């Protein structure tokens, strides 16, 4: 949960069973948060088999462990050691999370690689990022300049979310999308720039409560517009051909046909 915001509703992201789902991350110890981060992987990655494998071989888990440690130092005013731990985590995992970023509970970076999370970014509970995601800033000035992801957001591979915008609870951001404006809760966003194309009510539901990634079912609003234009052009060409045939036979076209 971000900064005491209300718990999100309407999505099927599994929660850890051994802790209250609405308690803020700041009220937990680092080790409790890391335990939740490890446990949530089994619910979101079908390739995960057992805890030891997750702890030893998942770079996304390693990245959030380094961040949890660096973030506690940062918030206690121990800036340089926090930055050093952050750099070390980036060196080892290829995931760059600024220690000033606020990360909620049960955070998962799947296929952790080339993920960048800026200093003033805020990430809620039960958020999932894929490789290549950037939560970046768009201003040189101090203050809030990175995005806020509410609870239950899923961001596809290569997506860029830029600026001090808010992505509502339960949203899905399609792979390689570029989001530069606020997104209402429970929406699907695709494209460059990102466009809202699908609400939660239209998504396919999974019976076991797992996240429905829908990476292969993402709508293509640009493609749909092009198809509509091609259909219209085909219709107009057929009408033009008909009118030309009528004139060649010597009969003037009717007013309805000319229209």
């Amino acid at each position: 949960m971000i900064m005491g915001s209300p718990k999100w509703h309407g999505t099927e992201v599994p929660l850890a069973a051994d802790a209250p789902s609405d308690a803020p991350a700041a009220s937990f110890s680092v080790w409790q948060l890391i335990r939740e981060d490890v446990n949530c992987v089994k619910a979101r990655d079908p390739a995960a088999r057992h805890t030891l494998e997750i702890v030893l071989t998942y770079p996304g888990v390693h990245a959030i462990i380094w961040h949890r440690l660096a973030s506690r130092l940062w918030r206690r005013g121990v800036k340089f050691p926090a930055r050093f731990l952050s750099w070390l985590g980036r060196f080892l995992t290829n995931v760059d999370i600024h220690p000033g970023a606020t990360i909620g509970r049960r955070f998962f970076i799947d296929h952790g690689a080339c993920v960048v999370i800026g200093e003033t970014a805020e990430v809620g509970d039960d958020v999932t990022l894929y490789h290549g995601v950037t939560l970046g800033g768009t201003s040189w000035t101090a203050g809030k300049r990175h995005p806020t992801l509410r609870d239950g957001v899923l961001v596809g591979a290569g997506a860029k979310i830029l600026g001090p915008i808010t992505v509502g609870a339960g949203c899905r951001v399609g792979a390689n999308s570029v989001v530069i404006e606020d997104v209402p809760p429970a929406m699907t966003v695709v494209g460059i720039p990102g466009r809202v194309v699908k609400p939660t009510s239209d998504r396919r539901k999974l019976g076991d409560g797992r996240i429905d990634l829908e990476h292969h079912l993402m709508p293509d609003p640009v493609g749909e517009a092009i198809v509509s234009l091609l259909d219209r052009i085909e219709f107009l060409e057929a009408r033009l051909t008909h009118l030309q045939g009528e004139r060649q036979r010597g009969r003037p076209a009717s007013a309805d046909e000319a229209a």
Side-chain angles (χ1 to χ4, degrees):
M1 184 172 294
I2 302 175
M3 305 296 287
S5 59
K7 185 177 183 297
W8 59 277
H9 299 278
T11 56
E12 291 75 38
V13 180
L15 303 178
D18 59 349
S21 61
D22 57 350
S27 64
F28 287 77
S29 71
V30 170
W31 306 115
Q32 288 175 313
L33 293 174
I34 291 174
R35 181 185 176 188
E36 287 190 331
D37 294 328
V38 172
N39 289 338
C40 78
V41 175
K42 296 178 182 179
R44 303 185 205 175
D45 184 2
R49 293 179 294 180
H50 49 76
T51 301
L52 182 62
E53 179 185 56
I54 294 170
V55 171
L56 294 180
T57 66
Y58 274 64
V61 172
H62 302 161
I64 189 59
I65 291 174
W66 285 111
H67 171 75
R68 298 292 189 197
L69 299 173
S71 179
R72 288 299 169 98
L73 292 177
W74 182 270
R75 299 187 193 290
R76 292 174 182 174
V78 189
K79 304 293 187 179
F80 178 75
R83 287 290 284 169
F84 182 78
L85 281 181
S86 176
W87 170 84
L88 184 60
R90 181 186 184 280
F91 178 77
L92 295 173
T93 66
N94 198 25
V95 174
D96 188 357
I97 308 177
H98 193 285
T102 302
I103 307 292
R105 298 167 56 191
R106 299 176 295 273
F107 178 66
F108 180 39
I109 303 175
D110 201 357
H111 303 287
C114 302
V115 170
V116 177
I117 301 177
E119 177 185 7
T120 62
E122 298 177 61
V123 178
D125 298 340
D126 304 291
V127 170
T128 303
L129 308 183
Y130 281 77
H131 51 285
V133 170
T134 298
L135 306 184
T138 56
S139 171
W140 292 101
T141 60
K144 178 66 172 172
R145 59 190 186 279
H146 297 92
T148 295
L149 307 187
R150 298 296 184 188
D151 298 344
V153 171
L154 184 144
V155 184
K160 316 300 178 189
I161 305 177
L162 307 176
I165 63 174
T166 298
V167 178
C171 284
R172 300 290 184 268
V173 179
N176 294 316
S177 299
V178 178
V179 183
I180 56 176
E181 295 181 350
D182 291 345
V183 181
M187 294 294 176
T188 297
V189 183
V190 299
I192 304 175
R195 299 178 179 85
V196 175
V197 294
K198 201 173 188 182
T200 302
S201 58
D202 291 342
R203 295 188 195 138
R204 183 170 58 92
K205 306 297 182 184
L206 296 183
D208 60 0
R210 289 178 178 265
I211 298 173
D212 186 359
L213 302 182
E214 294 189 336
H215 285 186
H216 65 301
L217 299 176
M218 286 295 183
D220 183 2
V222 175
E224 293 173 359
I226 292 175
V227 169
S228 179
L229 289 173
L230 290 175
D231 288 342
R232 182 63 177 173
I233 290 172
E234 184 178 357
F235 169 75
L236 292 175
E237 287 179 342
R239 172 172 284 191
L240 179 61
T241 300
H242 173 72
L243 292 175
Q244 288 175 339
E246 292 294 329
R247 292 196 177 188
Q248 287 177 357
R249 289 194 292 270
R251 183 176 71 83
S254 66
D256 291 340
E257 290 175 334

